[in-house]
Amino acid sequence: QEQLVESGGGLVQPGGSLRLSCTGSGRSFENDAMGWFRQAPGKEREYVAGIMFSGGTKHYADSVRGRFTIDRDNAKNTVYLQMDSLKPEDTAVYYCTADTLLSTVIRGGGAYWGQGTQVTVSS
C-alpha cells in the first residue's frame, strides 16, 4: 500500500515546540514534492508549508513563516515540520501530502495524503 503516516503531534504550551514527521511507505516519495496542511475545528483545511523533491526549494504560508521549518530526508522517505513559537491558533490536525509538482501541493495538496496528527497548543 502506498501511504503516508504522520507522527509527532501532541499537547504543547504556547511558545513551545513540536517536530512532526511524515513517513512514506509502499513507494519512494523522493521524486515528489511534499507538504503540510492543517485543519482546525470548524475551519477548512489550510496550506502550511511545501518542499520540492530535492529539498532545495521551500515555501510557507504567511501564518507560519518564521516559526515553522519544513525539511525532508529522502533516504528515510520522510518529511518533517519543525514547529517553534507555537500559538493556540496553531491547534489543528496536521496532514502531510505529496505530488509531482510543488505548485500542485501548494495550491491544494497532492495525490497522496496521510491520516493526520493532532497538535494542541494550550495552557
Short mmCIF file of all heavy atoms in Angstrom, two decimals, residues 56-99:
data_model
loop_
_atom_site.label_atom_id
_atom_site.label_comp_id
_atom_site.label_asym_id
_atom_site.label_seq_id
_atom_site.Cartn_x
_atom_site.Cartn_y
_atom_site.Cartn_z
N GLY A 56 15.52 21.62 -2.02
CA GLY A 56 16.18 22.88 -2.32
C GLY A 56 15.27 24.09 -2.33
O GLY A 56 15.75 25.21 -2.20
N THR A 57 13.98 23.88 -2.52
CA THR A 57 13.02 24.96 -2.52
C THR A 57 11.97 24.69 -1.46
O THR A 57 11.38 23.61 -1.43
CB THR A 57 12.35 25.12 -3.89
OG1 THR A 57 13.34 25.42 -4.87
CG2 THR A 57 11.31 26.24 -3.85
N LYS A 58 11.74 25.68 -0.60
CA LYS A 58 10.75 25.57 0.46
C LYS A 58 9.80 26.76 0.39
O LYS A 58 10.18 27.84 -0.04
CB LYS A 58 11.43 25.53 1.83
CG LYS A 58 12.42 24.39 1.99
CD LYS A 58 13.15 24.48 3.32
CE LYS A 58 14.19 23.38 3.45
NZ LYS A 58 14.91 23.46 4.75
N HIS A 59 8.59 26.54 0.83
CA HIS A 59 7.57 27.57 0.77
C HIS A 59 6.70 27.47 2.00
O HIS A 59 6.41 26.37 2.47
CB HIS A 59 6.73 27.42 -0.51
CG HIS A 59 5.74 28.49 -0.72
ND1 HIS A 59 4.43 28.39 -0.27
CD2 HIS A 59 5.85 29.70 -1.32
CE1 HIS A 59 3.79 29.49 -0.59
NE2 HIS A 59 4.62 30.30 -1.23
N TYR A 60 6.26 28.63 2.52
CA TYR A 60 5.48 28.66 3.74
C TYR A 60 4.27 29.57 3.62
O TYR A 60 4.32 30.59 2.93
CB TYR A 60 6.32 29.15 4.92
CG TYR A 60 7.53 28.31 5.20
CD1 TYR A 60 8.77 28.63 4.65
CD2 TYR A 60 7.44 27.19 6.02
CE1 TYR A 60 9.88 27.84 4.90
CE2 TYR A 60 8.55 26.41 6.28
CZ TYR A 60 9.76 26.74 5.73
OH TYR A 60 10.87 25.95 5.99
N ALA A 61 3.21 29.19 4.30
CA ALA A 61 2.09 30.10 4.45
C ALA A 61 2.49 31.27 5.32
O ALA A 61 3.35 31.15 6.20
CB ALA A 61 0.90 29.37 5.07
N ASP A 62 1.86 32.42 5.08
CA ASP A 62 2.20 33.61 5.85
C ASP A 62 2.02 33.41 7.35
O ASP A 62 2.77 33.97 8.16
CB ASP A 62 1.34 34.79 5.40
CG ASP A 62 1.70 35.29 4.01
OD1 ASP A 62 2.80 34.96 3.52
OD2 ASP A 62 0.89 36.02 3.42
N SER A 63 1.05 32.61 7.73
CA SER A 63 0.73 32.42 9.13
C SER A 63 1.81 31.69 9.92
O SER A 63 1.84 31.78 11.15
CB SER A 63 -0.60 31.67 9.27
OG SER A 63 -0.53 30.40 8.65
N VAL A 64 2.69 30.96 9.23
CA VAL A 64 3.70 30.17 9.92
C VAL A 64 5.12 30.56 9.55
O VAL A 64 6.07 30.07 10.18
CB VAL A 64 3.50 28.66 9.68
CG1 VAL A 64 2.09 28.24 10.05
CG2 VAL A 64 3.82 28.28 8.24
N ARG A 65 5.29 31.39 8.56
CA ARG A 65 6.62 31.77 8.11
C ARG A 65 7.42 32.40 9.25
O ARG A 65 6.94 33.29 9.94
CB ARG A 65 6.53 32.73 6.93
CG ARG A 65 7.89 33.03 6.27
CD ARG A 65 7.73 33.90 5.02
NE ARG A 65 7.03 33.20 3.95
CZ ARG A 65 5.80 33.50 3.54
NH1 ARG A 65 5.13 34.50 4.11
NH2 ARG A 65 5.25 32.81 2.56
N GLY A 66 8.64 31.91 9.44
CA GLY A 66 9.48 32.38 10.53
C GLY A 66 9.37 31.58 11.79
O GLY A 66 10.22 31.70 12.67
N ARG A 67 8.33 30.77 11.91
CA ARG A 67 8.13 29.92 13.08
C ARG A 67 8.25 28.44 12.76
O ARG A 67 8.71 27.67 13.60
CB ARG A 67 6.76 30.18 13.71
CG ARG A 67 6.56 31.62 14.18
CD ARG A 67 5.26 31.77 14.97
NE ARG A 67 4.09 31.46 14.14
CZ ARG A 67 3.23 30.48 14.39
NH1 ARG A 67 3.40 29.70 15.45
NH2 ARG A 67 2.19 30.28 13.59
N PHE A 68 7.83 28.04 11.58
CA PHE A 68 7.86 26.65 11.17
C PHE A 68 8.94 26.43 10.12
O PHE A 68 9.24 27.33 9.32
CB PHE A 68 6.52 26.22 10.56
CG PHE A 68 5.36 26.14 11.51
CD1 PHE A 68 5.45 26.63 12.81
CD2 PHE A 68 4.17 25.56 11.10
CE1 PHE A 68 4.37 26.55 13.68
CE2 PHE A 68 3.09 25.48 11.96
CZ PHE A 68 3.18 25.98 13.25
N THR A 69 9.51 25.24 10.12
CA THR A 69 10.51 24.87 9.13
C THR A 69 10.20 23.50 8.56
O THR A 69 10.04 22.54 9.31
CB THR A 69 11.92 24.85 9.74
OG1 THR A 69 12.22 26.12 10.33
CG2 THR A 69 12.96 24.54 8.66
N ILE A 70 10.09 23.42 7.24
CA ILE A 70 9.88 22.14 6.59
C ILE A 70 11.21 21.62 6.07
O ILE A 70 12.05 22.37 5.59
CB ILE A 70 8.84 22.25 5.45
CG1 ILE A 70 8.46 20.87 4.92
CG2 ILE A 70 9.32 23.17 4.34
CD1 ILE A 70 7.27 20.89 3.97
N ASP A 71 11.41 20.33 6.19
CA ASP A 71 12.62 19.70 5.68
C ASP A 71 12.29 18.26 5.31
O ASP A 71 11.21 17.76 5.61
CB ASP A 71 13.74 19.75 6.72
CG ASP A 71 15.12 19.80 6.10
OD1 ASP A 71 15.27 19.54 4.89
OD2 ASP A 71 16.09 20.10 6.84
N ARG A 72 13.21 17.62 4.63
CA ARG A 72 12.98 16.22 4.26
C ARG A 72 14.28 15.45 4.27
O ARG A 72 15.37 16.01 4.12
CB ARG A 72 12.31 16.13 2.88
CG ARG A 72 13.17 16.57 1.71
CD ARG A 72 12.32 16.69 0.44
NE ARG A 72 11.69 15.43 0.06
CZ ARG A 72 10.70 15.32 -0.81
NH1 ARG A 72 10.20 16.40 -1.39
NH2 ARG A 72 10.19 14.12 -1.09
N ASP A 73 14.13 14.15 4.42
CA ASP A 73 15.24 13.22 4.36
C ASP A 73 14.80 12.11 3.41
O ASP A 73 14.08 11.20 3.82
CB ASP A 73 15.59 12.68 5.74
CG ASP A 73 16.82 11.80 5.73
OD1 ASP A 73 17.23 11.34 4.66
OD2 ASP A 73 17.38 11.57 6.82
N ASN A 74 15.22 12.22 2.17
CA ASN A 74 14.75 11.26 1.18
C ASN A 74 15.28 9.85 1.42
O ASN A 74 14.65 8.87 1.01
CB ASN A 74 15.12 11.73 -0.23
CG ASN A 74 14.25 12.86 -0.71
OD1 ASN A 74 13.11 13.01 -0.26
ND2 ASN A 74 14.76 13.65 -1.63
N ALA A 75 16.42 9.74 2.09
CA ALA A 75 16.93 8.43 2.44
C ALA A 75 15.99 7.70 3.40
O ALA A 75 15.95 6.47 3.42
CB ALA A 75 18.32 8.54 3.05
N LYS A 76 15.25 8.48 4.18
CA LYS A 76 14.28 7.92 5.12
C LYS A 76 12.85 8.01 4.61
O LYS A 76 11.92 7.62 5.31
CB LYS A 76 14.38 8.63 6.47
CG LYS A 76 15.72 8.44 7.15
CD LYS A 76 15.75 9.15 8.49
CE LYS A 76 17.07 8.93 9.20
NZ LYS A 76 17.13 9.63 10.51
N ASN A 77 12.68 8.57 3.40
CA ASN A 77 11.35 8.71 2.80
C ASN A 77 10.43 9.50 3.73
O ASN A 77 9.25 9.17 3.89
CB ASN A 77 10.75 7.33 2.51
CG ASN A 77 9.86 7.32 1.27
OD1 ASN A 77 9.95 8.18 0.41
ND2 ASN A 77 8.99 6.31 1.19
N THR A 78 10.99 10.55 4.31
CA THR A 78 10.31 11.28 5.38
C THR A 78 10.40 12.79 5.17
O THR A 78 11.44 13.30 4.73
CB THR A 78 10.93 10.92 6.74
OG1 THR A 78 10.72 9.53 7.00
CG2 THR A 78 10.30 11.73 7.87
N VAL A 79 9.32 13.47 5.48
CA VAL A 79 9.30 14.92 5.52
C VAL A 79 8.98 15.35 6.95
O VAL A 79 8.22 14.68 7.65
CB VAL A 79 8.29 15.51 4.51
CG1 VAL A 79 6.86 15.09 4.85
CG2 VAL A 79 8.41 17.02 4.44
N TYR A 80 9.58 16.45 7.37
CA TYR A 80 9.43 16.94 8.73
C TYR A 80 8.82 18.33 8.74
O TYR A 80 8.94 19.09 7.79
CB TYR A 80 10.78 17.02 9.44
CG TYR A 80 11.55 15.73 9.44
CD1 TYR A 80 12.54 15.48 8.49
CD2 TYR A 80 11.31 14.76 10.41
CE1 TYR A 80 13.26 14.31 8.49
CE2 TYR A 80 12.03 13.58 10.42
CZ TYR A 80 13.00 13.35 9.46
OH TYR A 80 13.71 12.18 9.48
N LEU A 81 8.19 18.65 9.85
CA LEU A 81 7.75 20.02 10.11
C LEU A 81 8.16 20.38 11.52
O LEU A 81 7.58 19.86 12.48
CB LEU A 81 6.23 20.16 9.93
CG LEU A 81 5.70 21.59 10.04
CD1 LEU A 81 6.18 22.43 8.86
CD2 LEU A 81 4.18 21.61 10.11
N GLN A 82 9.17 21.22 11.63
CA GLN A 82 9.60 21.73 12.92
C GLN A 82 8.78 22.96 13.24
O GLN A 82 8.81 23.94 12.50
CB GLN A 82 11.09 22.08 12.89
CG GLN A 82 11.61 22.69 14.19
CD GLN A 82 11.58 21.72 15.34
OE1 GLN A 82 11.98 20.56 15.19
NE2 GLN A 82 11.12 22.17 16.50
N MET A 83 8.05 22.92 14.34
CA MET A 83 7.16 23.99 14.72
C MET A 83 7.66 24.62 16.01
O MET A 83 7.71 23.97 17.05
CB MET A 83 5.73 23.48 14.90
CG MET A 83 5.19 22.74 13.68
SD MET A 83 3.45 22.25 13.87
CE MET A 83 3.60 21.09 15.20
N ASP A 84 8.03 25.88 15.93
CA ASP A 84 8.53 26.64 17.07
C ASP A 84 7.60 27.81 17.35
O ASP A 84 6.81 28.21 16.50
CB ASP A 84 9.94 27.15 16.81
CG ASP A 84 10.95 26.05 16.58
OD1 ASP A 84 10.90 25.03 17.29
OD2 ASP A 84 11.81 26.21 15.68
N SER A 85 7.72 28.36 18.54
CA SER A 85 6.90 29.51 18.95
C SER A 85 5.43 29.26 18.69
O SER A 85 4.72 30.10 18.13
CB SER A 85 7.37 30.78 18.22
OG SER A 85 8.73 31.05 18.50
N LEU A 86 4.97 28.12 19.10
CA LEU A 86 3.60 27.71 18.81
C LEU A 86 2.59 28.59 19.52
O LEU A 86 2.81 29.05 20.65
CB LEU A 86 3.39 26.26 19.20
CG LEU A 86 3.97 25.25 18.20
CD1 LEU A 86 4.11 23.88 18.84
CD2 LEU A 86 3.09 25.18 16.96
N LYS A 87 1.49 28.83 18.83
CA LYS A 87 0.40 29.65 19.32
C LYS A 87 -0.87 28.81 19.42
O LYS A 87 -1.01 27.82 18.71
CB LYS A 87 0.15 30.83 18.37
CG LYS A 87 1.36 31.69 18.10
CD LYS A 87 1.04 32.73 17.04
CE LYS A 87 2.24 33.61 16.75
NZ LYS A 87 1.94 34.61 15.70
N PRO A 88 -1.81 29.21 20.27
CA PRO A 88 -3.08 28.47 20.34
C PRO A 88 -3.76 28.32 18.98
O PRO A 88 -4.39 27.29 18.73
CB PRO A 88 -3.91 29.30 21.31
CG PRO A 88 -2.91 29.94 22.20
CD PRO A 88 -1.74 30.26 21.31
N GLU A 89 -3.63 29.31 18.12
CA GLU A 89 -4.25 29.24 16.81
C GLU A 89 -3.59 28.23 15.87
O GLU A 89 -4.10 27.98 14.78
CB GLU A 89 -4.30 30.63 16.14
CG GLU A 89 -2.97 31.35 16.15
CD GLU A 89 -2.86 32.35 17.30
OE1 GLU A 89 -3.22 32.00 18.44
OE2 GLU A 89 -2.41 33.49 17.05
N ASP A 90 -2.47 27.66 16.29
CA ASP A 90 -1.86 26.58 15.53
C ASP A 90 -2.51 25.23 15.81
O ASP A 90 -2.17 24.24 15.16
CB ASP A 90 -0.36 26.48 15.84
CG ASP A 90 0.42 27.70 15.39
OD1 ASP A 90 0.16 28.19 14.27
OD2 ASP A 90 1.30 28.15 16.15
N THR A 91 -3.40 25.19 16.78
CA THR A 91 -4.09 23.95 17.11
C THR A 91 -4.88 23.45 15.91
O THR A 91 -5.70 24.16 15.34
CB THR A 91 -5.03 24.16 18.30
OG1 THR A 91 -4.25 24.49 19.46
CG2 THR A 91 -5.83 22.90 18.59
N ALA A 92 -4.61 22.22 15.52
CA ALA A 92 -5.25 21.64 14.35
C ALA A 92 -4.78 20.20 14.17
O ALA A 92 -3.83 19.76 14.82
CB ALA A 92 -4.90 22.44 13.08
N VAL A 93 -5.45 19.50 13.29
CA VAL A 93 -4.92 18.24 12.79
C VAL A 93 -4.01 18.56 11.61
O VAL A 93 -4.42 19.27 10.69
CB VAL A 93 -6.04 17.28 12.37
CG1 VAL A 93 -5.45 15.99 11.79
CG2 VAL A 93 -6.93 16.95 13.56
N TYR A 94 -2.80 18.06 11.65
CA TYR A 94 -1.82 18.33 10.61
C TYR A 94 -1.69 17.12 9.69
O TYR A 94 -1.52 15.98 10.15
CB TYR A 94 -0.47 18.67 11.23
CG TYR A 94 -0.42 20.07 11.78
CD1 TYR A 94 -1.13 20.41 12.92
CD2 TYR A 94 0.31 21.07 11.14
CE1 TYR A 94 -1.11 21.70 13.42
CE2 TYR A 94 0.34 22.36 11.63
CZ TYR A 94 -0.37 22.68 12.76
OH TYR A 94 -0.34 23.96 13.26
N TYR A 95 -1.75 17.39 8.40
CA TYR A 95 -1.69 16.35 7.38
C TYR A 95 -0.50 16.57 6.46
O TYR A 95 -0.19 17.72 6.12
CB TYR A 95 -2.95 16.37 6.51
CG TYR A 95 -4.25 16.18 7.25
CD1 TYR A 95 -4.93 17.27 7.79
CD2 TYR A 95 -4.81 14.92 7.39
CE1 TYR A 95 -6.13 17.10 8.46
CE2 TYR A 95 -6.01 14.75 8.06
CZ TYR A 95 -6.67 15.84 8.59
OH TYR A 95 -7.86 15.67 9.24
N CYS A 96 0.14 15.51 6.05
CA CYS A 96 1.15 15.64 5.01
C CYS A 96 0.59 15.16 3.68
O CYS A 96 -0.37 14.38 3.62
CB CYS A 96 2.44 14.90 5.37
SG CYS A 96 2.34 13.10 5.42
N THR A 97 1.20 15.65 2.61
CA THR A 97 0.72 15.35 1.26
C THR A 97 1.90 15.30 0.31
O THR A 97 2.98 15.82 0.60
CB THR A 97 -0.31 16.41 0.82
OG1 THR A 97 -0.86 16.07 -0.45
CG2 THR A 97 0.34 17.80 0.74
N ALA A 98 1.70 14.67 -0.84
CA ALA A 98 2.76 14.55 -1.83
C ALA A 98 2.18 14.53 -3.23
O ALA A 98 1.08 14.01 -3.46
CB ALA A 98 3.58 13.28 -1.59
N ASP A 99 2.92 15.08 -4.17
CA ASP A 99 2.55 15.05 -5.57
C ASP A 99 3.78 15.41 -6.40
O ASP A 99 4.82 15.78 -5.86
CB ASP A 99 1.40 16.01 -5.88
CG ASP A 99 0.51 15.52 -7.00
OD1 ASP A 99 1.05 15.05 -8.04
OD2 ASP A 99 -0.72 15.58 -6.84
#
